[in-house]
Amino acid sequence: MSATILVLNGPNLNLLGTREPSIYGAETLADVEARLAARGRDRGVGIDFRQSNHEGELVTWIQEARDRAAAIIINAGAYTHTSVAIHDALRAAGLPVWEVHVSNVYRRETFRHHSYISGIAEGVIAGFGTRGYDAALDAAVARLAAPPPS
Ligand code: CA2
C-alpha cells in the first residue's frame, strides 16, 4: 500500500482564488488539490487534502494522522501565528511536517513573522504562491524514500 501524505489547510484558505489575488494568486484551493493529487499519483503517494476553519477539527485530524499518514504538509493559515494546540498536536503526531505559506509572511505585518509550527517543521516554504505546496510534496516524497540516518 502506498504512503499517504496529509495536506492540511487552515482558516480562510477556502477563499483562495476568490479574493486578494495580489497576495494569494488566482488559483482556488480545489485547483491546488487537483494538482497535488496528480503529482502524488505520479510519485506513488496518496494525498489526503483537507481544509477547516476550526482549530479543534485541525487538531483532531492531526491526531488521527498518526495512524493514517506518513507525513504532514500544513498551511495553518492564521492559526500558524496563534495556536499552541496545533503545535502540540503536530509534536505528538511524531510525523515529519512541512509548513507552507502562499504569501511571503516576512514581508507582511509583524504578527505574521512568528510561527508556532516552524520550530518543529522539517522545512518551511513561504512566498512561492501555491507552488509551495508542490515543493513541500516533493520534499516529503524525497524524505519518505530516503529517511535521514537516526
Ligand atoms: O500566506 C499564507 O498562506 C497564510 O498562511 C495565509 C493566511 C494568513 O493568515 C497567514 O498569515 C499566511 C490567510 C489565509 C486567507 O486566505 C485568503 C485567501 C483569499 C482571500 C482572503 C483570504
Side-chain angles (χ1 to χ4, degrees):
M1 213 176 66
S2 70
T4 296
I5 298 177
L6 178 62
V7 183
L8 284 183
N9 294 279
N12 294 310
L13 284 158
N14 54 311
L15 299 178
L16 271 189
T18 68
R19 275 167 244 177
E20 303 199 60
S22 61
I23 300 176
Y24 296 114
E27 221 176 19
T28 66
L29 201 60
D31 294 333
V32 178
E33 177 173 10
R35 207 180 57 242
L36 279 204
R39 201 174 184 93
R41 266 194 304 278
D42 285 350
R43 286 155 177 73
V45 297
I47 303 295
D48 182 358
F49 193 96
R50 302 180 187 203
Q51 188 273 334
S52 178
N53 292 326
H54 303 279
E55 187 175 19
E57 189 163 40
L58 292 162
V59 167
T60 299
W61 288 342
I62 293 166
Q63 290 179 1
E64 292 171 354
R66 199 178 158 80
D67 300 321
R68 293 187 189 174
I72 299 174
I73 294 169
I74 184 165
N75 181 350
Y79 289 145
T80 304
H81 319 298
T82 62
S83 180
V84 176
I86 288 175
H87 168 99
D88 287 346
L90 289 169
R91 276 190 86 102
L95 298 171
V97 172
W98 281 267
E99 177 182 0
V100 172
H101 297 287
V102 176
S103 65
N104 178 1
V105 285
Y106 302 103
R107 205 172 70 170
R108 303 181 64 191
E109 305 95 322
T110 50
F111 65 80
R112 296 185 204 275
H113 296 181
H114 176 261
S115 164
Y116 280 98
I117 297 171
S118 301
I120 52 171
E122 300 291 320
V124 181
I125 298 165
F128 290 82
T130 52
R131 292 282 163 185
Y133 288 88
D134 303 62
L137 174 57
D138 287 356
V141 168
R143 160 71 187 269
L144 294 177
S150 50

